[in-house]
Amino acid sequence: MSDTNAPPDANGLRLIRFFQLNGRRMTLAARKLGVTGRSLVIGIPFAWLLLFFVVPFVIVLKISFATQIIGIPPYTDLMDWSGGGWWPTFNIDTYNYEFLLSDSLYTVAYLTSLKIAVVSTFLCLLVAYPMAYGIARTSPRYRNIFLLLIILPFWTSFLLRVYSWMGILKYNGLLNNFLIWTGIISDPLPMLHNDFSVYLGIVYSYLPFMLLPLYANLERMDKSLLEAAADLGASKTRAFFTVTVPLSIPGVIAGSLLVFIPAVGEFVIPSLLGGTSTLMIGRVLWDEFFQNTAWPVASAVAIVMLLILVVPIMVFQRFQMRED
């Protein structure tokens, strides 16, 4: 049995000195380059954003100004070999963006996406607020159980959860059969492939994104303010609307933006649960890329959608900084 407290042998000492010497050399080289531990820690996420956000965005922006051709890839080259080197071929031509404005299909898709996102966000708020308020006011023993039940659906595939709603809402599905069995209805109701199923799918899928920020805000709220309102003669209802609701506005805004931003570009839910009349910009983007192979037009659609979402993203960042 070896003694773990025994000093290292000669080879071990050489290895330790080797790592110490190289570590000092690397530290001195980093200092000469002006790289510190703080800048390295900050630089890693910035490098990640540069590589996986800025670079793809620049590529999509360039493709949006390209011209569609028959070939692989189906647009004009990004770089051109001339004068003994590679040069960017960035043609400032707004034809693709003018095409978006001239064709009412894209305008309708954008407006429909915004309408569905706004209504879905409002419905999520109506459902999530009383749930978050109830969880925040329950005993700490049961809060984690309720939060676990809310997060539990995320342990399964998003696609499978949307497919399960197809089985529930279809003409001879579980819900229609149950309503007929109970005698509430005599004929099946059209609950699939319409706006109702799209709203239901978005509210079901994005409800935790609304509920969790609301719960975090309501749970941190100072309960003594409600006691002070009661001492001043305010009823529970009045104290709720004059104290709780105003103080929960940051949580409402954060949850609303977390639902609204992804709902605008939603593709899976309107494709599976929506009908032909449910035209959202995510479906248009898919069709342009993979069916029409019109990559320049699709890139222009994506850039315009990003510009539409810049404002709510900036508002979300502002409230996140205020919360911190």
Side-chain angles (χ1 to χ4, degrees):
M1 185 174 180
S2 61
D3 187 3
T4 57
N5 296 322
D9 56 8
N11 292 329
L13 290 173
R14 293 193 193 98
L15 188 62
I16 292 173
R17 292 194 186 99
F18 173 78
F19 281 114
Q20 288 177 345
L21 181 60
N22 282 275
R24 290 171 186 167
R25 289 175 178 174
M26 293 176 65
T27 302
L28 290 174
R31 288 177 179 175
K32 290 180 180 179
L33 294 174
V35 178
T36 61
R38 180 179 180 182
S39 61
L40 184 62
V41 171
I42 297 175
I44 291 175
F46 274 99
W48 179 275
L49 290 175
L50 177 66
L51 183 61
F52 294 103
F53 177 77
V54 178
V55 173
F57 173 77
V58 171
I59 294 174
V60 173
L61 181 63
K62 169 59 181 70
I63 296 175
S64 70
F65 288 101
T67 304
Q68 183 179 355
I69 60 174
I70 300 176
I72 300 176
Y75 55 87
T76 53
D77 294 333
L78 299 178
M79 306 291 289
D80 181 36
W81 176 267
S82 62
W86 290 100
W87 300 93
T89 57
F90 196 85
N91 301 320
I92 306 299
D93 184 5
T94 59
Y95 169 75
N96 296 320
Y97 295 95
E98 292 175 356
F99 179 71
L100 297 185
L101 296 175
S102 62
D103 194 336
S104 61
L105 171 71
Y106 303 101
T107 304
V108 171
Y110 281 119
L111 294 178
T112 303
S113 299
L114 291 173
K115 183 198 73 172
I116 291 178
V118 169
V119 175
S120 300
T121 301
F122 178 72
L123 294 175
C124 279
L125 180 60
L126 289 181
V127 177
Y129 199 102
M131 292 177 64
Y133 183 82
I135 295 174
R137 295 297 182 267
T138 56
S139 172
R141 179 187 305 177
Y142 301 106
R143 286 180 191 171
N144 292 334
I145 297 176
F146 290 134
L147 292 175
L148 178 64
L149 293 176
I150 293 169
I151 301 173
L152 196 61
F154 280 86
W155 295 3
T156 59
S157 170
F158 173 76
L159 190 61
L160 291 178
R161 285 185 280 132
V162 176
Y163 265 116
S164 66
W165 277 108
M166 295 178 66
I168 295 172
L169 299 175
K170 64 183 182 180
Y171 205 65
N172 58 343
L174 181 64
L175 185 56
N176 269 320
N177 288 335
F178 174 76
L179 294 176
I180 292 174
W181 177 73
T182 54
I184 297 176
I185 60 174
S186 56
D187 297 321
L189 298 176
M191 293 184 288
L192 187 62
H193 300 312
N194 49 37
D195 289 348
F196 167 77
S197 58
V198 174
Y199 288 127
L200 182 62
I202 293 178
V203 171
Y204 165 77
S205 301
Y206 292 106
L207 185 64
F209 294 102
M210 176 71 76
L211 194 148
L212 294 177
L214 278 172
Y215 164 76
N217 183 273
L218 292 170
E219 196 273 334
R220 294 198 307 264
M221 190 176 298
D222 189 359
K223 309 300 187 300
S224 62
L225 297 175
L226 297 175
E227 297 175 358
D231 292 339
L232 294 173
S235 62
K236 291 184 178 180
T237 303
R238 186 174 181 181
F240 173 79
F241 284 105
T242 57
V243 178
T244 303
V245 172
L247 292 177
S248 64
I249 292 299
V252 171
I253 294 176
S256 299
L257 291 174
L258 285 175
V259 173
F260 175 80
I261 292 172
V264 171
E266 180 59 49
F267 166 72
V268 174
I269 294 174
S271 297
L272 297 180
L273 301 182
T276 55
S277 60
T278 307
L279 185 64
M280 294 187 68
I281 201 63
R283 179 61 182 272
V284 173
L285 194 62
W286 170 274
D287 292 340
E288 294 292 352
F289 261 116
F290 298 103
Q291 292 188 5
N292 302 332
T293 61
W295 288 25
V297 175
S299 299
V301 171
I303 294 297
V304 172
M305 183 173 67
L306 180 61
L307 294 177
I308 293 174
L309 295 177
V310 162
V311 173
I313 290 174
M314 292 176 63
V315 172
F316 175 70
Q317 291 293 332
R318 178 183 176 185
F319 276 92
Q320 283 293 101
M321 294 175 62
R322 181 180 297 179
E323 284 292 299
D324 296 337

